[in-house]
Amino acid sequence: MEVKELVNRRIEVLKDKLVEKGLDTAIIIKPENVFYFSNFNPVINSHPCFVIISVKKGAHLLVHSIRCDHAKEEGSLDNVQLYGKWGANISLAMDPVDAIREILSHGPIKLGLELSDVNYKLYQDICTKLNISFIEDISVDVNMMRMIKDEYEISCARKSADLVDIGVETTIKYLQEGYSEACASTEGQYQMRKTWSKLYSNTEICGFGTSEGGIIDSFHVWCLSNEHIAYGCDCPKHYIPMAGDISLPMAWAKVNGYHAENERSIIVNKLDEKRDRAYKAMLEARQAVFDKMKPGITLESLYFEAVELFTKYGFGDILPGRIGHGMGCSAHEFPSIGKGVKIPLTAGMILTVEPGLMEKSWGGVRHSDTVLITENGYELLTKINNKCIIINK
Amino acid sequence: MEVKELVNRRIEVLKDKLVEKGLDTAIIIKPENVFYFSNFNPVINSHPCFVIISVKKGAHLLVHSIRCDHAKEEGSLDNVQLYGKWGANISLAMDPVDAIREILSHGPIKLGLELSDVNYKLYQDICTKLNISFIEDISVDVNMMRMIKDEYEISCARKSADLVDIGVETTIKYLQEGYSEACASTEGQYQMRKTWSKLYSNTEICGFGTSEGGIIDSFHVWCLSNEHIAYGCDCPKHYIPMAGDISLPMAWAKVNGYHAENERSIIVNKLDEKRDRAYKAMLEARQAVFDKMKPGITLESLYFEAVELFTKYGFGDILPGRIGHGMGCSAHEFPSIGKGVKIPLTAGMILTVEPGLMEKSWGGVRHSDTVLITENGYELLTKINNKCIIINK
C-alpha cells in the first residue's frame, strides 16, 4: 500500500476515535504525530506544523509559509494551508490559530488535543480564537495508534536496524583497534552514512527537533565505559577502553522517519567478579524475556522476568525502572516494558529489549535490540551478535 | 569566571526579575532553559528535567532518578533532587510535580512559568498539586536573558564556529571533486568530528532533544541545490551538482551546548541571468547589513537594508520573512532580524546574518554567518570566504 493511502487510513482511524469520544475535530501539534498523520517532516520546527482533522471536513496540513513547497511536494495530504509570511506564498493568516479558524467551520467545536504536548499559550489561543464547546485529551489515543506499525513503517525500521547494526559493529572494530570511545563512534557514524548512500540513497534520515532546532542527520553513535554507563546517556569521551573495562557502544538511526537502536556491552579482556556477574545476569534476563515474547503476554510480565533474574544474581537493590520501550517515529515512545503496564504484546509492535543494570561504583551492563512482535512470537530487526562480546587488547 | 559562578549569576538575575514581576518562584521546563540555569543536559528528554528557582529557597535541579549521577556530577547546581524510580537512588516522589511540592514551601506560590513551553497537562498538574496564588509568563524574560551571551558562552560558540567552518569547507571541497550533496556532507561531518577530537576533545557536543528523543551528536552538515533550496531545510539528496547549479552546503555544531552555523551558496561554473542576479543581490544585501551592524541599531532596520537591496534587484515580490535570528543554546532562538523587531543590537548578542532569496522556479541563494555583536561593531565567528564562491567542473 502507498504511504499516502496508509496515512489516509490513519486519519480515518483517528476520525472514528473522535466520533467514539464525542468529538468532531482534532488539532495535532506534536512533531512526531504531525508526521504520522501527514508523512511530512519540516526538519526544523521553529515554525510549528499542524494537522487539522475534522470528521466532516477531512484533514489539512497547516505549515508556515517557508515550508510551502516542501509540504505540498513531500507531504501526503492534498490540503496544504499556510500561515505566516515568506516569499510570494499566500497565507490564510499571519498567526497559525487564526489560520485554523479559517479552515474550520465557525460552529462550536468539540476538540481533541494532545494535552501532554500542546503548550499552554497555544492552548489559550485555541480557546480564545476558536469557538470551542469542549476539549478532550487525545494523547493516549494517538500513542495507542502509533504503537502498532503497518508494513511501510516496519520496512523503514528494518532499514534503520540494518544501519545501527553497522554503526555498532564498526565501533566495536575500532575499539578493538585501540580507538577512543569518541573516535570509534566517529567511525561508526561515518560507516552508517556511507552505507546509507550505498543501499538506501532514495531515503531521508532526518529526525524531529525541538521548537528551537532540528535533526538533519538522525545517525548517532556513542559509547560509554564503566562508571560513565551509569549516566544512562551522554557524549562519548576520548577515553581508550582497557583490560577489565565494560564499554557500551550504542547507535540510533531513523530512515524515512522510523527509528531503530542497537546497544552492545563489550568485555575488554576479562571482567572482575561483580561486572562479570552483572553481565551474566543481563544475558540470562534477556533470554528469559525473549523466551516469553509472543502476542498476548503483558509488558509487565516481561519486566518481572528480568527482575527475577536480576534478583537471583544479587542485584535486587538496583533494579531498572523499565527494561525496554516502544519505538517508531521516536527513540523513546509509548509504552514502557515496566511494572504496571498491562498492555499485551501485539503483532506489529516494535520495542527495544534492554534489561540493564547500572550503578556508579562498578558501571553498568546492557544490550539493546530492536524487536518486532510477529503473529507467532518476535523477530530481531537488529541482527549482530547479542550474546557475550569480548575484545582482547 | 567559572561556569558554576556564571550559572549562579543567571539565577540571581532571574530572581531579580521574579521580584520585579511580583513573583517568588519559577519552574523552568524547556530543555534549553534548564541547561541555561544548571549547565546540565540530560541529552535524552523522555524523563524531563526541571530547575526550580525560589527567591527564598534558592535553585534546585530536579531530574528523573535515572539521571542522578549525571546531574550531580556534571550539573552546576548543588541541590539536585530526584523523582521516579531507577536503581537504588532515593527520590522525593514518583511524579515530578509531587517532588516539586516537597521542594517548595507550602505557602501560596506566585509562580513564573514558560507558558509558551509548558504543556497543558503539566500546567494543570502544577495548578492542582501546588498551592498557587497566581501564574505569570516568564518565557520572554528568559529569552531576553539568553539573548546576551557571557564570555563562557562566547568561547563555546567560537569553537562551534571553527567546526562549522570546517564542515562547510570540507563539503565544498568534495562537491568540487564530484561527490553528491549527501556524500560531500558525510565527509564534512566526518571532518568536523575528527577536528573535534583533535582540538576540543574535552568538550561535549550533544544537543537538546524532544520529549521522545535526544541529540547525541549535534554536528550536522547538509546541502541542497537549485529548486530544493526553496524547501528551506531538508535531507540532502544523492544529487551531483553540475554546471549552472547553485548548491548550498550548510553546517551546524554545538560545543558544550552553544551553537554556530555556516551556510554558503556555491556557483557551479556559471549561473544563468536570474540566479546570477539573485546571488549579486544577496552579496550586496549582506554588505549593506554588515555596514550597519553596531550596538544601538535595531534589528528591524537591518532587515530593511536587505529589503531595499532585494527590491532594487527585482526581487521585491519574494522577500524573506527574516534575514537572521539569535542563536546560543539553540539553532533558532529569540530574536528575529525582521520587520517589527525594535530591539537594538547589543554587545554580546550572537546572531546569524543570512539575507536570502528563494523561489521554487529557479532555486535560492543565501550565505549564513554566525556573528557576535561587539562594543564597537561586530565580529564574524565563522571565518571562511563569504563572498562569491565558484567551483568549476
Side-chain angles (χ1 to χ4, degrees):
Chain A
M1 210 185 277
E2 288 291 311
V3 182
K4 191 168 173 164
E5 228 175 302
L6 290 164
V7 167
N8 280 333
R9 203 160 66 173
R10 293 173 200 162
I11 290 167
E12 291 308 315
V13 172
L14 184 66
K15 278 190 192 171
D16 289 347
K17 282 257 174 257
L18 293 176
V19 172
E20 218 174 88
K21 292 171 84 104
L23 302 170
D24 53 41
T25 307
I27 301 175
I28 302 291
I29 55 93
K30 188 180 198 168
E32 294 87 346
N33 293 346
V34 167
F35 176 75
Y36 183 74
F37 287 112
S38 70
N39 205 42
F40 177 64
N41 180 6
V43 189
I44 292 178
N45 283 287
S46 35
H47 299 298
C49 298
F50 305 79
V51 175
I52 298 114
I53 298 172
S54 155
V55 172
K56 280 194 186 146
K57 300 185 137 202
H60 291 75
L61 174 60
L62 175 68
V63 303
H64 188 274
S65 175
I66 194 174
R67 307 278 166 239
C68 173
D69 294 318
H70 193 185
K72 286 186 174 169
E73 287 163 27
E74 298 203 345
S76 288
L77 301 189
D78 292 327
N79 291 320
V80 176
Q81 299 289 351
L82 309 179
Y83 71 90
K85 182 77 195 124
W86 204 286
N89 304 318
I90 294 165
S91 295
L92 292 177
M94 285 303 284
D95 175 83
V97 182
D98 289 334
I100 293 172
R101 196 179 46 210
E102 297 300 312
I103 291 168
L104 294 172
S105 67
H106 296 283
I109 298 161
K110 295 165 186 161
L111 185 64
L113 269 182
E114 304 138 287
L115 294 183
S116 302
D117 303 291
V118 63
N119 73 63
Y120 183 75
K121 196 172 167 307
L122 181 59
Y123 179 92
Q124 272 190 317
D125 278 0
I126 286 171
C127 292
T128 312
K129 294 184 172 180
L130 306 180
N131 182 1
I132 303 289
S133 59
F134 62 90
I135 292 181
E136 250 197 76
D137 192 12
I138 55 165
S139 301
V140 175
D141 305 277
V142 177
N143 283 343
M144 292 292 285
M145 285 182 64
R146 280 174 55 191
M147 188 172 71
I148 310 296
K149 274 67 186 175
D150 60 38
E151 274 313 307
Y152 171 74
E153 295 179 290
I154 293 168
S155 74
C156 296
R158 279 185 199 285
K159 295 185 179 78
S160 300
D162 289 351
L163 293 172
V164 292
D165 274 355
I166 283 171
V168 168
E169 209 163 43
T170 304
T171 304
I172 295 172
K173 185 182 136 202
Y174 280 90
L175 287 173
Q176 166 89 66
E177 286 186 19
Y179 279 52
S180 71
E181 294 168 354
C183 292
S185 303
T186 298
E187 299 301 325
Q189 285 188 188
Y190 184 54
Q191 208 50 52
M192 281 170 79
R193 288 277 302 205
K194 290 181 87 141
T195 308
W196 165 55
S197 293
K198 201 168 145 192
L199 299 184
Y200 306 127
S201 66
N202 61 341
T203 66
E204 298 202 348
I205 57 167
C206 297
F208 304 101
T210 71
S211 62
E212 294 193 354
I215 300 177
I216 297 114
D217 174 358
S218 68
F219 295 173
H220 297 295
V221 181
W222 69 109
C223 181
L224 309 175
S225 302
N226 305 326
E227 67 280 4
H228 199 191
I229 294 172
Y231 281 12
C233 185
D234 199 15
C235 189
K237 294 187 188 296
H238 288 80
Y239 170 75
I240 299 172
M242 53 182 162
D245 286 357
I246 300 179
S247 206
L248 175 49
M250 294 166 264
W252 279 0
K254 217 187 270 297
V255 171
N256 280 349
Y258 288 90
H259 195 93
E261 84 172 31
N262 184 323
E263 305 182 356
R264 293 292 183 261
S265 291
I266 311 300
I267 297 169
V268 187
N269 296 45
K270 194 175 167 4
L271 302 178
D272 66 19
E273 188 279 333
K274 191 161 195 179
R275 284 181 178 170
D276 189 60
R277 182 155 46 91
Y279 203 103
K280 286 199 174 78
M282 179 271 287
L283 290 179
E284 250 187 70
R286 284 168 58 83
Q287 195 55 53
V289 169
F290 281 128
D291 285 348
K292 243 194 152 170
M293 282 190 99
K294 63 177 182 190
I297 298 292
T298 66
L299 291 170
E300 175 181 64
S301 69
L302 297 179
Y303 177 74
F304 289 135
E305 287 293 320
V307 163
E308 196 184 316
L309 264 298
F310 286 152
T311 307
K312 182 184 128 190
Y313 274 89
F315 296 102
D317 55 335
I318 57 159
L319 295 173
R322 61 182 180 185
I323 61 153
H325 49 77
M327 57 169 38
C329 298
S330 295
H332 286 185
E333 67 181 49
F334 179 84
S336 288
I337 308 182
K339 198 173 158 178
V341 186
K342 313 275 188 197
I343 295 170
L345 289 177
T346 310
M349 280 183 174
I350 295 182
L351 300 162
T352 64
V353 173
E354 47 176 327
L357 293 166
M358 54 195 202
E359 192 178 31
K360 184 70 192 166
S361 61
W362 58 271
V365 68
R366 177 174 80 239
H367 287 344
S368 180
D369 279 296
T370 300
V371 181
L372 169 69
I373 305 303
T374 60
E375 294 297 338
N376 302 314
Y378 68 91
E379 180 193 335
L380 287 170
L381 300 186
T382 41
K383 297 184 191 304
I384 61 169
N385 178 11
N386 65 9
K387 304 299 184 210
C388 178
I389 306 173
I390 303 174
I391 62 175
N392 283 300
K393 287 196 149 185
Chain B
M1 210 183 278
E2 289 289 312
V3 182
K4 191 169 172 162
E5 226 174 306
L6 290 164
V7 167
N8 280 333
R9 201 161 69 175
R10 293 173 200 163
I11 289 167
E12 291 308 315
V13 172
L14 185 65
K15 278 190 191 170
D16 290 348
K17 282 257 173 258
L18 292 176
V19 172
E20 217 174 89
K21 292 171 85 102
L23 302 171
D24 52 43
T25 307
I27 301 175
I28 302 291
I29 55 95
K30 188 179 197 169
E32 294 86 346
N33 293 346
V34 167
F35 176 76
Y36 182 75
F37 287 112
S38 70
N39 205 42
F40 177 63
N41 180 5
V43 189
I44 292 179
N45 283 288
S46 34
H47 300 298
C49 298
F50 305 80
V51 175
I52 298 116
I53 298 173
S54 155
V55 172
K56 281 194 185 148
K57 303 187 134 202
H60 292 74
L61 174 60
L62 175 67
V63 302
H64 188 274
S65 176
I66 195 173
R67 308 277 166 240
C68 174
D69 295 318
H70 193 184
K72 286 186 175 170
E73 287 164 26
E74 298 203 346
S76 288
L77 300 189
D78 292 327
N79 291 321
V80 176
Q81 300 288 352
L82 309 180
Y83 71 91
K85 183 76 195 123
W86 204 287
N89 303 318
I90 294 165
S91 296
L92 292 177
M94 286 302 284
D95 175 84
V97 182
D98 289 334
I100 293 172
R101 196 180 46 210
E102 297 299 313
I103 292 168
L104 294 172
S105 67
H106 296 281
I109 298 162
K110 295 165 186 160
L111 185 65
L113 270 183
E114 304 138 288
L115 294 182
S116 302
D117 303 292
V118 63
N119 72 64
Y120 183 75
K121 196 174 166 306
L122 180 60
Y123 179 91
Q124 272 190 317
D125 278 359
I126 287 171
C127 292
T128 311
K129 294 184 173 181
L130 306 180
N131 182 0
I132 302 289
S133 60
F134 63 90
I135 292 180
E136 249 197 78
D137 191 12
I138 54 167
S139 303
V140 175
D141 305 276
V142 177
N143 283 343
M144 291 293 285
M145 285 182 65
R146 281 174 55 190
M147 190 173 71
I148 309 296
K149 272 70 185 176
D150 60 39
E151 275 313 307
Y152 172 74
E153 295 179 290
I154 293 167
S155 75
C156 296
R158 279 186 199 284
K159 294 185 180 78
S160 301
D162 289 351
L163 292 172
V164 292
D165 274 355
I166 284 173
V168 168
E169 209 163 44
T170 305
T171 305
I172 294 172
K173 185 183 135 203
Y174 281 90
L175 287 173
Q176 166 89 66
E177 285 185 20
Y179 279 51
S180 71
E181 293 169 354
C183 293
S185 302
T186 298
E187 299 301 326
Q189 284 188 188
Y190 184 53
Q191 208 49 53
M192 283 170 78
R193 287 277 303 205
K194 290 179 87 141
T195 308
W196 165 54
S197 293
K198 201 168 146 191
L199 299 183
Y200 305 127
S201 65
N202 61 341
T203 65
E204 298 201 349
I205 56 168
C206 298
F208 304 101
T210 71
S211 62
E212 296 193 352
I215 301 176
I216 296 115
D217 173 357
S218 69
F219 295 174
H220 297 294
V221 181
W222 69 109
C223 180
L224 309 175
S225 302
N226 306 325
E227 68 279 3
H228 198 191
I229 295 172
Y231 281 12
C233 184
D234 200 15
C235 188
K237 294 186 188 295
H238 288 82
Y239 169 77
I240 299 171
M242 53 182 163
D245 285 357
I246 300 180
S247 206
L248 175 49
M250 294 166 264
W252 280 0
K254 214 185 273 296
V255 171
N256 281 347
Y258 288 90
H259 195 94
E261 82 171 34
N262 184 322
E263 305 182 355
R264 293 292 184 261
S265 291
I266 312 301
I267 297 169
V268 187
N269 296 47
K270 194 175 169 4
L271 301 178
D272 66 21
E273 188 278 332
K274 190 160 195 180
R275 285 181 176 170
D276 188 62
R277 180 155 46 90
Y279 203 105
K280 287 199 171 78
M282 179 270 288
L283 289 178
E284 250 186 71
R286 284 169 58 84
Q287 196 54 55
V289 170
F290 281 127
D291 285 347
K292 242 194 153 171
M293 280 190 100
K294 63 175 181 192
I297 299 291
T298 66
L299 291 169
E300 175 180 67
S301 70
L302 296 180
Y303 177 75
F304 289 136
E305 287 293 319
V307 163
E308 195 184 317
L309 264 297
F310 286 151
T311 307
K312 181 184 128 189
Y313 274 88
F315 296 102
D317 54 338
I318 57 159
L319 295 172
R322 62 182 181 186
I323 62 154
H325 50 77
M327 58 169 38
C329 298
S330 295
H332 286 184
E333 67 181 51
F334 179 85
S336 288
I337 308 182
K339 196 171 160 180
V341 185
K342 312 274 187 198
I343 295 170
L345 288 178
T346 310
M349 280 182 173
I350 296 182
L351 299 162
T352 65
V353 173
E354 49 177 325
L357 294 166
M358 54 195 202
E359 193 178 31
K360 184 69 193 165
S361 62
W362 58 270
V365 69
R366 176 174 82 238
H367 287 344
S368 179
D369 278 297
T370 300
V371 181
L372 170 69
I373 305 303
T374 61
E375 295 296 340
N376 302 314
Y378 69 91
E379 180 193 333
L380 287 170
L381 300 186
T382 41
K383 297 185 191 304
I384 61 170
N385 178 11
N386 64 9
K387 304 298 184 211
C388 179
I389 305 173
I390 303 173
I391 61 176
N392 282 299
K393 289 193 146 187

